[in-house]
Structures are given as structure tokens and as C-alpha cells.
């Protein structure tokens, strides 16, 4: 990436990270805080935790389309303002229902699709995959930080203070948007990052993609449900004060990251993706069973959390990669839009259903319910056909090219197995074997003047 692209990418990633940090900070502390709110029940605790996922799932794709019409920055700034208002409503709430309204408003600031479109406007095709990876890593980092910082901030400023802080994060994001993120020269439709209305039928008929969408929905359902029960387990069953909860999560997360890396290497480099994928679903299921059986044992809880976060981190990293490889090369944005919607909807289901299970069957009911979801996912995933491990590459083309002729010429190059030229986006999308692919040969074909270099 050049300097302008780096500045744009890291600024957009910062906005995204601040927003997601604001959403995640209350996860490890809200269930205990909600006990003191008027009208609280276990079901409403879960609903308050997960309701943001419902509104985000419903609005993220429409907000992306709106940004194509009125501009990226107005939509993003408006979404961040809605998020800030929701945070203030939740901060000032004295009843669980007002918190639910605030969390729903937070999710209504659904700017993910608009942010990705802005990122695409400000980056060249050749570096866009790297730019999106930076944003993805920022989200993962935000989740990790939130699990540690949430209980600490709760001890210092309380959960209402955390909500005020998330409102400040949103306003800071607006400042970054207008002060540090450049205005794109023009708005374009990018089928690699945006949902295209005419492509939904093709994506929703693809059984392999639907298995992955189901998987990310189940993964986030389980994650959200666990954080309804875990704070009570740590406080009531293991006698750990809320202020000390970070010292449970921190070592577990650090060790999980260490074990995550070799599993991803085995999946990607050794081409054992399905085996690693099914192993991680199994680890998720086993961790939930362990928590259900022995949540009064510190050793068992730590072991279960370690298994869960190893598997969760691997799946969070590999699922988007699988979507990218399985999706039609010219409809990846639509596939990712359906995937993201499934992810957010999963958070809603996990919160609402997890709260109901907690109210009727206590913490063990939540854990066994989550284990049942894991088993269902394992059955669904067992029949999945893994794609050939090829990489996606993008390059720039002129708008006046003959698409069919250029595609035929590109496919003659070594290591290129699929090509789609989209002149209206000035882009060519490729699936390649990196071991055989020669980027210089592609450059010479697309830019003949480079043959002299």
C-alpha cells in the first residue's frame, strides 16, 4: 500500500475498532450489572446483550446501498451518531427495557457495509485484500481488549460509565472520519465488498455457502450465550470478585492465541482445512459440555475456556477465508454481506435464547443448550466440501477492454484458474495458485509497457 492508502486503511480500521470495542466492552460485565435494573429477568438480560445484533443484521446492507446514493461519509457519520445516542440512552437507563432500547439503537448505526465500501473507494484493487485484513485484525483485537478492559472499567466507572465511554468513542470516530480519512475521488460499486441486489438469489442457493453462514450464526450464538452465564459462574460458583475476572480471561486468551497459530498453519499450508474446521467445532462443543458438568471447578472452567477460545479464534479467522474461496468470484461482496448478517443475527439469537435458558435451567442449561448447538453445527459441517486452496487476486483494468477476450488471455497464464473482468469497476478478479502464479506476467498482459522493464 502507498502512504495515502495506509493512512486511509488505518483510519478506517480505527473507526471500526472503536465502534466494536464499544459494543464488546459490556459483554463480560453486563449480566451482573443488570441484576440491579428495574424489570430485569434472565430473558431480558439476554435480550439486552443481543438486541444490537438484530438491528445491525437488518440495516447493514440497506445502509451500504444508501451510501452508494448519498455518499459514504454522511451514512457513516449518521450511523455513528445513532450509535452514540443509543449509548447515551443505555447509560441513563434505570430499567432493563431502556437499556434494550439503547442497545437496539447502537446496532441501528449499522455502518459496516458503508465502511467497507469507503475502504474500497480509497484503495487500489491490488491491495484491497490486505486492507480488509487490517480491518479484520482490528475487530479481533477489539474483542480481546474488551474482555480484559470491560471488568476493569466496570470497577472504575461502572457499566453506565462504559456506555458513556462508548458514546465518546463514536464521536471520536466521527472526528477521525472527517479529519483523517480522505474523500474518495468518486463512488463506485465494488462487487468484491458490497452486496449486489441481483446476486442474492445465486448466493442463497449455494448450499456450501449456506453451511458457512449457518456456522457463523451458531458460533456467535454460542459466544453470546456463554457471556450470559460466565459472569455468574465466576462470581457465584468460583467466588471470584467481578474486578478480578480479567485475570481469568487474560491468561486464557494469551495461551489460546499461541495454540491458534499452528492450527491455522496446518489448515492453510498443509491443506487440512476441513479436519481443523471440524476439530474446532468439536472443541467448542466439548468446552460447553465441560462448563455444564463442572462449572464449580476452577480447573474445569479454565480448561473449557481455553478450548473455547482456541477454537473460536481459529474459526473467526478461517470462516471469512472460506467464504471468499467458495463465493462466486464476481459476487464475493454479496456472499460476505449474507455472512455478516448471519453473524449479527447469531448474536441476537444467542442473547435472547441464552437468557431464556438461564431463566429456566440456570447456568448449566445455557451451557448444555450451547453444546447442543455445537453438535448440530458439527453435523451440518460434516457434509461440507472444502474449496481448493486458491488465493483471490485483484488487478486494475481499463474500462474500455474487451472483457471476454481479456479473460481468455488471462486464463492462458500459469497458475490462474478463474478470471472475471468487470470493466465498469476497472477490475479483474482472479483465483490463483500462488505457487504457480507469476504476478509480473499478469502485469505485462494488463500493461504491455511493463514488458520493457
Amino acid at each position: 500500500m502507498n502512504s495515502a492508502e495506509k493512512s486511509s486503511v488505518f483510519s478506517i480500521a480505527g473507526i471500526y475498532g472503536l465502534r466494536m470495542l464499544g459494543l464488546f466492552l459490556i459483554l463480560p460485565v453486563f449480566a451482573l450489572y443488570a441484576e440491579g435494573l428495574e424489570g430485569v429477568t434472565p430473558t431480558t438480560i439476554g435480550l439486552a446483550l443481543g438486541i444490537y445484533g438484530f438491528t445491525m443484521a437488518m440495516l447493514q446492507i440497506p445502509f451500504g446501498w444508501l451510501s452508494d446514493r448519498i455518499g459514504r461519509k454522511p451514512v457513516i457519520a449518521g450511523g455513528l451518531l445513532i450509535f452514540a445516542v443509543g449509548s447515551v440512552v443505555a447509560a441513563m437507563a434505570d430499567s432493563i427495557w431502556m437499556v434494550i432500547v439503547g442497545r437496539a439503537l447502537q446496532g441501528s448505526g449499522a455502518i459496516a457495509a458503508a465502511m467497507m465500501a469507503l475502504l474500497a473507494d480509497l484503495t487500489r484493487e491490488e491491495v484491497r485484500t490486505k486492507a480488509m485484513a487490517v480491518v479484520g485484525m482490528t475487530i479481533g483485537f477489539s474483542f480481546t481488549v474488551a474482555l480484559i478492559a470491560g471488568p476493569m472499567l466496570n470497577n472504575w466507572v461502572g457499566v453506565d460509565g462504559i456506555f458513556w465511554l462508548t458514546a465518546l468513542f463514536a464521536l471520536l470516530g466521527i472526528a477521525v472520519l472527517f479529519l483523517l480519512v480522505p474523500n474518495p475521488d468518486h463512488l463506485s460499486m465494488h462487487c468484491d465488498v458490497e452486496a449486489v441486489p441481483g446476486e442474492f438469489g445465486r448466493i442463497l442457493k449455494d448450499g456450501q455457502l449456506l453451511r458457512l453462514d449457518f456456522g457463523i450464526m451458531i458460533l456467535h450464538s454460542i459466544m453470546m450465550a456463554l457471556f450470559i452465564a460466565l459472569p455468574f459462574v465466576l462470581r457465584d460458583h468460583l467466588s471470584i470478585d467481578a474486578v478480578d475476572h480479567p485475570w481469568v480471561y487474560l491468561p486464557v486468551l494469551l495461551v489460546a492465541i499461541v495454540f491458534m497459530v499452528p492450527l491455522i498453519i496446518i489448515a492453510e499450508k498443509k491443506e487440512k482445512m476441513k479436519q481443523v474446521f471440524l476439530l474446532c467445532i468439536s472443541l467448542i462443543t466439548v468446552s460447553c459440555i465441560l462448563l455444564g458438568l463442572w462449572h464449580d471447578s476452577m480447573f474445569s472452567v479454565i480448561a473449557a475456556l481455553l478450548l473455547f477460545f482456541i477454537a473460536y479464534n481459529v474459526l473467526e479467522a478461517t470462516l471469512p477465508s472460506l467464504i471468499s474461496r467458495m463465493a462466486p468470484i464476481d459476487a464475493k461482496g454479496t456472499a460476505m454481506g449474507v455472512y455478516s448478517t448471519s453473524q449479527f443475527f447469531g448474536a441476537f439469537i444467542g442473547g435472547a435464547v441464552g437468557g431464556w435458558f438461564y431463566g429456566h435451567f440456570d447456568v448449566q442449561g445455557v451451557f448444555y443448550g450451547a453444546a447442543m448447538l455445537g453438535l448440530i453445527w458439527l453435523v451440518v459441517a460434516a457434509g461440507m466440501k472444502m474449496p481448493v486452496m486458491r488465493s483471490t487476486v485483484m488487478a486494475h483494468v481499463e474500462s474500455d477492454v474487451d472483457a471476454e477476450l481479456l479473460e481468455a488471455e488471462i486464463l492462458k497464464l500459469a497458475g490462474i484458474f478463474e478470471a472475471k473482468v468487470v470493466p465498469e469497476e476497472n477490475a479483474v478478479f482472479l483465483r490463483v495458485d500462488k505457487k504457480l502464479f507469476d504476478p509480473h506476467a499478469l502485469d505485462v498482459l494488463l500493461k504491455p509497457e511493463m514488458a520493457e522493464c
Side-chain angles (χ1 to χ4, degrees), residues 419-432:
K420 182 68 177 180
V421 177
V422 186
E424 57 270 24
E425 294 186 28
N426 296 110
V428 56
F429 304 93
L430 310 171
R431 283 212 172 94
V432 308

Side-chain angles (χ1 to χ4, degrees), residues 15-82:
I15 297 170
Y16 215 125
L18 284 171
R19 178 172 170 274
M20 297 311 294
L21 181 62
L23 285 171
F24 292 147
L25 276 171
I26 72 161
L27 274 184
V29 297
F30 181 77
L32 301 180
Y33 163 79
E35 289 181 308
L37 294 173
E38 179 185 339
V40 70
T41 66
T43 301
T44 55
I45 290 175
L47 190 60
L49 272 177
I51 190 66
Y52 83 91
F54 179 80
T55 50
M56 197 176 292
M58 295 299 101
L59 295 173
Q60 63 141 348
I61 291 177
F63 271 34
W65 292 339
L66 182 62
S67 77
D68 290 332
R69 291 163 174 76
I70 69 173
R72 315 295 188 204
K73 287 191 174 181
V75 170
I76 294 169
L80 288 171
L81 278 175
I82 294 171

Side-chain angles (χ1 to χ4, degrees), residues 393-412:
V393 173
M394 293 180 61
H396 180 85
V397 297
E398 299 301 325
S399 58
D400 57 353
V401 299
D402 183 324
E404 290 187 10
L405 179 61
L406 184 55
E407 285 174 11
E409 291 298 317
I410 290 172
L411 288 171
K412 294 177 182 178

